[in-house]
């Protein structure tokens, strides 16, 4: 959108303001109108890379030059002891670049609290639309040295923010020298006198280094004029057309390297990033092939890493590469060559900000009405906490309407080692956390439904026929989670039974979902108005999605939902717990599954999270094992999703845990079976149940109240009757291990789909709930035996011939080669 017209003319003509001072000022800034009652105008930097896309070398170079000037001011000895502090959000990359030029460690303020990280200070920005700044260094002593403190902002307009900062930090860690750095210094003589007096009061030297200086002369009625112009402005026309393709690229980000300066960034970190930049650019380049104009778009405070990636792309590609970032600042857009903000994309916040939901903006990313300024491709770079359902509902769809292709790259969020340790006593000290996976790149569920805390193993060959898997486990005592069964492909007859089962039980499913949701609302929601669902992948995931949809439909709450892995004998994924603890209050997390059997997973979960701050209680739709307090029913009824495997669970496999595939900082793994898309009923299942929410809402609310304070309240205490029943069956049938007895319709179905079944016990009169079980048993040649007084509708018995290869309580082989097992096999 470059023209020969100064991008401040429109505002100066209409507001009557005037720039004075350095002749370089118009080359550094344009002007726009703020949507802020405290300040009428916005100085729009043309070299900052925030509101106006700029060549990355210009943006980084402006900070490097300022850093070199500071080093010259301080001298070598003092410069070696200096620390740089940048202001969020606008100046985070500028401060980083100044630190590069100075060769000093860097920290920027933040408006995003991080669970477990205690602030070492904070201050207010009086004129801003978002005022509170937090200081969250990983090292609490980061700001405690006696060397010069260099404070970096994009503009130095009055000095009040700097004064607030210096007073707050000087009270904790007094020092003798402060240096304020800005692109433009627009203070009045009165402002300069106030700051000088404050420095003298503190007994400290305070220097100012700026690229240009001057002033802004404002008429007395400037606020009224600005309000009138904003009120008269026509709203921008929404983008039209077909969405451009979206590609997700996994960047080879170095392990443990901070993605920004929120918790501190050292000169060694800067060297590591510089070494990694060619590889990062090379990973993005194939997705940008043929693009003539490329924008690398950062995200609010995350400016520096995207800026440096943009610079590496500019060197690699035969293309014009520009850089800018999204922002919190509400600014009027006017499509005029004499105005600095030509176009605006508005979208909801997508990183769970502490100040709650609100609009965010991307300026000059969309082309003007005449097509000027159009980018052929936009590379959006965000961090893990910002890769949320809101991102995929808001900013990404907006970007896809204004360019030809969109590339998404997600950097892992740095979590200081002390942060999760303070809140959750996890082993290990890694600062690196992987980013969640989500559809459409991983799973057939949309990103808004679930984020998978899993590692993608889709390209790894892990499947083997069931009998071979049993033999492999048998021969070496291997763990069941080290391989996968071949995914069952349902016959046409079986698929029809699934659809019949869904039609027959959809209201019962919806009622169970609603009952669990209302129980959680009454007992767990609390005054914070936040719950976080962590479904046990994969059977629990459709339930987590349905609970999330209930809270959205019934209570207007946007409840985060993650899928996590738990492995019998190994426990829950510790990296996933660290991720949850870093992004949410562990006490607000609700673990979700479909049903209980004997209660083995219930016990496993309680042991795995003991002492971590997470609530160990499991919420399920059906609790026939009588081992949880939060349930929709204790009847052993057919949950239709139990009839199938991946094709009703987002096309995701059972989870995998194997040392050669899963590192200490990885999530547990799983596969995405894209090739089964033709048989996928995942979306149809949750849509069918959610469509019945209105029908069952009153009944669900009544059922939940009854369980909380009515006649049902006395019966909620777990008595583990299911486990006792399975011990009795194991004894009666001479199996020798309760782990070979799988109770309930869900677990029995799993035996038939994944294991080597011996026989099925069915309660007399169980009826339609077991039609699919009978069909599977017939297809596999397994007898179905009807039994009186069975505590479940059915029980699956794993073949004792494979007892040595069956999995016990620790997830490894059960060694029971005595005569009881042999006789039973005969």
């Amino acid at each position: 959108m470059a023209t020969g017209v100064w991008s401040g003319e429109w505002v100066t003509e209409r507001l009557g303001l005037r720039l004075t001072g350095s002749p370089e000022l118009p080359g550094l800034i344009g002007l726009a109108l703020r949507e802020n009652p405290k300040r009428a105008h916005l100085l729009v930097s043309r070299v900052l890379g925030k509101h106006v896309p700029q060549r990355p070398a210009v943006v980084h170079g402006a900070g490097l030059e300022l850093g070199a000037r500071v080093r010259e001011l301080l001298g070598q000895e003092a410069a070696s002891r200096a620390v740089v502090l940048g202001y969020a959000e606008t100046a985070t990359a500028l401060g980083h670049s100044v630190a590069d030029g100075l060769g000093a460690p860097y920290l920027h303020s933040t408006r995003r609290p991080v669970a477990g990280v205690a602030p070492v200070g904070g201050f207010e920005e009086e004129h801003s639309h978002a005022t509170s700044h937090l200081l969250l260094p990983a090292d609490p002593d980061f700001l405690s040295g006696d060397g010069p403190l260099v404070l970096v902002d994009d503009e130095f307009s009055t000095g009040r923010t700097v004064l607030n900062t210096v007073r707050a930090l000087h009270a904790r860690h007094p020092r003798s020298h402060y240096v304020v750095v800005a692109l433009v210094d627009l203070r009045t003589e009165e402002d300069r006198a106030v700051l000088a007096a404050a420095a003298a009061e503190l007994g400290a030297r305070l220097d100012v280094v700026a690229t240009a200086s001057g002033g802004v002369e404002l008429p007395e009625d400037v606020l009224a004029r600005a309000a009138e112009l904003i009120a008269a402005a026509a709203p921008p026309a929404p983008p039209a057309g077909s969405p451009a393709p979206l590609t997700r690229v996994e960047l080879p980000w170095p392990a443990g390297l901070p993605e920004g300066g929120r918790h501190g960034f050292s000169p060694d970190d800067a060297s590591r990033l510089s070494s990694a930049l060619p590889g990062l650019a090379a990973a993005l380049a194939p997705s940008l092939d043929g693009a003539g104009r490329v924008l690398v778009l950062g995200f609010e405070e995350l400016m520096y890493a995207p800026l440096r990636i943009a610079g590496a792309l500019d060197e690699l590609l035969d293309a014009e590469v520009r850089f800018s970032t999204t922002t919190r600042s509400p600014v009027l857009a006017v499509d005029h060559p004499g105005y600095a903000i030509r176009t605006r994309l508005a979208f909801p916040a997508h990183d769970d900000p502490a100040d709650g939901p609100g609009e965010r903006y991307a300026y000059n990313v969309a082309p003007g009405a005449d097509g000027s300024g159009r980018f052929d491709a936009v590379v959006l770079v965000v961090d893990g906490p910002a890769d949320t359902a809101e991102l995929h509902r808001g900013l990404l769809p907006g970007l896809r309407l204004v360019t030809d292709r969109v590339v998404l790259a997600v950097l892992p969020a740095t979590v200081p080692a002390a942060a999760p340790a303070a809140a959750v006593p996890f082993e290990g000290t890694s600062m690196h956390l992987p980013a969640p996976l989500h559809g459409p790149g991983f799973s057939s569920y949309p990103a808004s439904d679930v984020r998978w805390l899993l590692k993608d193993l889709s390209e790894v060959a892990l499947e083997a026929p069931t009998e071979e898997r049993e033999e492999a486990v048998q021969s070496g005592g291997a763990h069941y989670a080290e391989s996968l069964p071949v995914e069952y492909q349902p016959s046409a007859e079986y698929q029809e039974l699934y659809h019949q089962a869904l039609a027959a039980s959809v209201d019962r499913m919806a009622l169970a979902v609603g009952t669990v949701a209302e129980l959680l609302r009454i007992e767990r929601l609390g005054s914070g108005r936040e719950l976080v669902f962590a479904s046990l992948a994969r059977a629990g995931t459709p339930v987590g999605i349905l609970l999330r949809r209930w809270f959205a439909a019934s209570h207007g709450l946007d409840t985060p939902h993650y899928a996590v892995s738990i492995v019998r004998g190994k426990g829950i994924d510790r990296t996933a717990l660290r991720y949850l603890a870093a992004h949410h209050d562990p006490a607000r997390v609700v673990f979700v599954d479909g049903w209980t059997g004997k209660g083995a997973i219930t016990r496993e979960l309680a042991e795995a999270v003991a002492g971590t701050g997470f609530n160990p209680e499991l919420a399920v739709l059906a609790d026939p094992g009588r081992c949880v307090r939060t349930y929709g029913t204790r009847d052993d009824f057919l949950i239709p999703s139990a009839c199938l495997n991946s094709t009703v669970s987002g096309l995701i496999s059972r989870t995998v845990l194997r040392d050669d595939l899963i590192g200490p900082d990885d999530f547990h793994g799983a596969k995405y079976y894209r090739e089964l898309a033709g048989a996928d009923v995942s979306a149809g299942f949750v849509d069918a149940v959610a469509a019945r929410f209105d029908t069952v809402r009153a009944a669900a609310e009544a059922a939940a109240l009854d369980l909380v304070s009515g006649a049902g309240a006395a019966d909620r205490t777990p008595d583990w009757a299911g486990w006792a029943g399975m011990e009795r069956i194991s004894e009666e049938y001479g199996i020798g291990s309760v782990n070979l007895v799988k109770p309930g319709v869900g677990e029995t179905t799993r035996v038939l789909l994944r294991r080597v079944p011996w026989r099925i016990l069915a309660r007399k009169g169980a009826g339609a709930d077991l039609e699919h079980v009978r069909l599977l048993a017939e297809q596999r040649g397994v007898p179905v035996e009807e039994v009186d007084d069975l505590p479940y509708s059915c029980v699956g018995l794993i073949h004792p011939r494979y007892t040595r290869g069956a999995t016990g309580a620790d997830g490894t082989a059960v060694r029971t080669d005595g005569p009881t097992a042999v006789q039973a096999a005969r």
Side-chain angles (χ1 to χ4, degrees):
M1 298 183 187
T3 68
V5 180
W6 177 48
S7 61
E9 286 187 6
W10 191 96
V11 172
T12 57
E13 290 174 0
R14 288 160 178 79
L15 284 191
L17 61 77
R18 190 169 73 91
L19 284 185
T20 62
S22 301
E24 300 93 347
L25 272 180
L28 290 173
I29 60 173
L31 294 170
L33 297 182
R34 294 177 183 262
E35 293 180 352
N36 182 342
K38 297 180 181 180
R39 299 185 78 187
H41 67 285
L42 175 71
L43 301 178
V44 181
S45 173
R46 301 172 69 175
V47 300
L48 186 65
K50 173 55 76 169
H51 304 85
V52 178
Q54 180 57 273
R55 299 299 293 256
V58 172
V59 179
H60 193 216
L64 289 175
E65 191 272 337
L66 286 168
R69 289 177 57 187
V70 173
R71 187 174 64 248
E72 182 179 358
L73 170 72
L74 295 176
Q76 189 60 39
E77 191 278 330
S80 68
R81 296 184 291 113
V83 174
V84 179
L85 175 64
Y87 285 91
E89 63 173 69
T90 306
T92 56
L94 178 64
H96 231 133
S97 302
V98 169
D100 285 347
L102 182 58
Y106 176 64
L107 176 75
H108 69 70
S109 65
T110 181
R111 294 188 176 103
R112 182 204 286 174
V114 177
V117 184
V120 301
F123 51 90
E124 294 296 312
E125 187 174 359
E126 296 168 359
H127 62 260
S128 176
H129 59 282
T131 59
S132 296
H133 289 249
L134 299 173
L135 299 177
L136 303 178
D139 178 2
D141 295 326
F142 188 94
L143 296 170
S144 63
D146 60 357
L149 179 63
V150 181
L151 301 107
V152 182
D153 208 351
D154 59 316
E155 65 178 77
F156 198 23
S157 54
T158 66
R160 286 195 294 269
T161 298
V162 166
L163 185 54
N164 289 339
T165 310
V166 170
R167 288 189 187 281
L169 295 179
H170 199 82
R172 284 174 172 257
H173 305 295
R175 61 184 75 224
S176 60
H177 196 178
Y178 297 89
V179 181
V180 178
V181 178
L183 290 170
V184 293
D185 179 4
L186 301 177
R187 290 174 298 154
T188 66
E189 289 303 322
E190 182 182 354
D191 293 329
R192 294 169 189 266
V194 169
L195 196 63
E201 176 190 334
L202 296 174
R205 174 184 170 185
L206 196 152
D207 291 305
V208 176
V209 175
T211 303
S213 61
V216 181
E217 295 180 356
L218 302 171
E220 291 184 2
D221 62 345
V222 66
L223 292 176
R225 288 194 194 189
E228 189 174 315
L229 288 169
I230 291 171
S242 301
L246 171 64
T247 303
R248 186 184 182 97
V249 174
E250 298 298 328
L251 296 181
W253 189 258
L257 177 65
E259 82 286 3
R262 181 177 288 112
H263 305 300
F265 199 90
S266 69
D268 287 344
D269 293 328
S271 297
R272 288 190 67 201
L273 177 58
S274 295
S275 299
L277 285 172
L280 298 172
L284 289 166
S287 300
L288 302 171
D289 186 40
R293 294 190 82 234
V294 175
L295 173 68
V296 177
L297 185 64
F299 153 65
E300 294 191 30
E301 296 173 9
L302 183 68
M303 294 184 67
Y304 180 71
L307 168 64
R308 300 301 307 280
I309 291 170
L313 280 173
D314 199 22
E315 294 180 1
L316 179 65
L317 299 179
D318 184 19
E320 177 189 339
V321 178
R322 299 268 173 164
F323 163 76
S324 65
T325 69
T326 66
T327 176
R328 290 167 165 248
S329 303
V331 184
L332 179 70
V334 178
D335 193 5
H336 186 283
Y339 190 85
I341 303 296
R342 300 283 299 273
T343 64
R344 167 170 118 165
L345 291 178
F347 52 92
H350 54 89
D351 66 334
D352 194 23
D355 53 354
E359 275 197 332
R360 302 294 187 262
Y361 311 95
Y363 295 116
N364 294 324
V365 173
D370 60 358
S372 62
R374 182 178 180 85
F375 291 100
D376 302 313
V378 175
V379 179
L380 176 63
V381 183
V382 301
D383 57 12
D387 183 24
T388 62
E390 290 75 18
L391 174 69
H392 291 262
R393 286 198 296 260
L395 176 57
L396 280 174
L399 291 176
R400 294 176 66 187
L401 291 174
V402 300
T403 187
D404 297 328
R405 67 186 101 163
V406 176
V407 179
L408 174 64
V410 181
L411 304 185
T414 298
V415 179
V424 183
F426 298 125
E427 64 275 9
T429 58
S430 172
M431 295 170 65
H432 177 72
L433 284 171
L437 302 172
H438 51 71
F442 185 84
S443 96
S444 60
Y445 292 126
S448 57
D449 272 344
V450 60
R451 283 168 272 174
W452 302 85
L453 302 186
L454 295 173
K455 180 178 181 179
D456 189 355
L457 300 179
S458 300
E459 306 307 316
V460 182
L462 292 165
E463 294 83 3
T466 301
E467 286 76 8
E468 290 184 18
R469 290 183 71 245
E470 295 282 6
E471 292 290 348
V473 174
Q474 174 186 153
S475 63
H479 197 281
Y480 80 91
E482 294 178 2
S483 61
L484 293 173
V486 176
E487 278 288 305
Y488 170 71
Q489 297 298 295
S491 64
E493 184 181 6
Y494 188 82
Q495 289 183 61
E496 179 58 29
L497 274 180
Y498 160 76
H499 288 293
Q500 291 175 8
L502 177 58
S505 61
V506 65
D507 281 351
R508 194 174 186 183
M509 271 284 301
L511 177 60
V513 170
T515 302
V516 172
E518 291 304 308
L519 270 175
L520 292 170
R521 180 186 64 82
I522 294 168
E523 297 188 333
R524 299 276 299 273
L525 188 58
S527 59
R529 302 295 288 170
E530 182 191 42
L531 287 179
V532 179
F533 294 127
S535 60
L536 304 184
R538 64 186 167 185
T541 302
V543 181
I545 291 171
L546 286 167
L547 287 171
R548 186 182 190 281
R549 291 192 181 185
W550 179 281
F551 272 93
S554 299
H555 304 292
L557 295 178
D558 191 5
T559 308
H561 172 216
Y562 303 88
V564 302
S565 169
I566 188 168
V567 174
R568 186 154 40 88
K570 300 290 186 179
I572 201 164
D573 185 338
R574 306 293 286 184
T575 303
L577 287 188
R578 294 209 324 271
Y579 183 94
L580 290 172
H583 294 81
H584 304 281
D585 179 357
R588 310 308 298 164
V589 174
V590 179
F591 294 101
V592 174
D593 208 355
W595 60 86
T596 62
K598 297 185 296 292
I601 291 297
T602 308
R603 295 176 189 265
E604 190 86 41
L605 175 66
E607 293 173 3
V609 303
T612 65
F614 287 94
N615 190 319
E617 290 192 9
L618 185 65
V620 299
L621 298 188
D623 178 36
R626 300 181 65 85
C627 50
V628 301
R629 294 184 70 257
T630 304
Y631 53 84
T633 178
R634 277 185 165 157
D635 293 341
D636 185 20
F637 83 100
L638 172 60
I639 297 174
S641 56
C643 295
L644 300 169
N645 283 333
S646 68
T647 52
V648 78
S649 301
L651 298 182
I652 301 302
S653 74
R654 202 204 63 220
T655 58
V656 174
L657 182 58
R658 208 169 82 188
D659 289 346
D660 62 327
L661 298 174
I662 308 299
D665 293 322
D666 288 334
F667 296 134
H668 292 185
K671 299 184 73 168
Y672 174 27
Y673 292 119
R674 296 173 178 84
E675 66 275 14
L676 300 182
D680 189 27
V681 296
S682 303
F685 171 71
V686 293
D687 287 346
V689 178
R692 306 300 296 168
F693 284 169
D694 286 343
T695 304
V696 304
R697 183 167 289 110
E701 292 171 352
L705 285 173
D706 182 69
L707 287 172
V708 171
S709 57
D715 192 40
R716 290 178 66 193
T717 302
D719 60 17
W720 301 88
W723 187 277
M726 294 311 96
E727 289 180 328
R728 176 177 56 81
I729 289 174
S730 175
E731 179 80 18
E732 288 181 3
Y733 283 82
I735 292 177
S737 172
V738 73
N739 296 296
L740 302 181
V741 182
K742 302 297 182 182
V745 63
E747 294 304 307
T748 300
T749 303
R750 288 180 171 184
V751 169
L752 289 163
L753 293 179
R754 303 183 192 172
R755 307 300 295 275
V756 182
W758 177 39
R759 66 179 65 183
I760 304 301
L761 309 182
R763 187 170 60 207
K764 286 184 179 179
D769 273 357
L770 299 189
E771 286 184 6
H772 78 289
V773 169
R774 293 188 175 93
L775 177 61
L776 282 176
E778 180 182 346
Q779 291 175 346
R780 297 201 62 180
V782 179
V784 177
E785 178 182 333
E786 292 204 345
V787 179
D788 290 317
D789 301 324
L790 198 64
Y792 298 82
S793 61
C794 61
V795 174
L797 306 182
I798 295 174
H799 205 303
R801 171 187 173 187
Y802 290 92
T803 298
R804 290 191 302 159
T807 52
D810 64 352
T812 57
V814 175
R815 302 284 184 177
T816 55
D817 299 320
T820 301
V822 174
Q823 291 167 5
R826 291 174 182 165

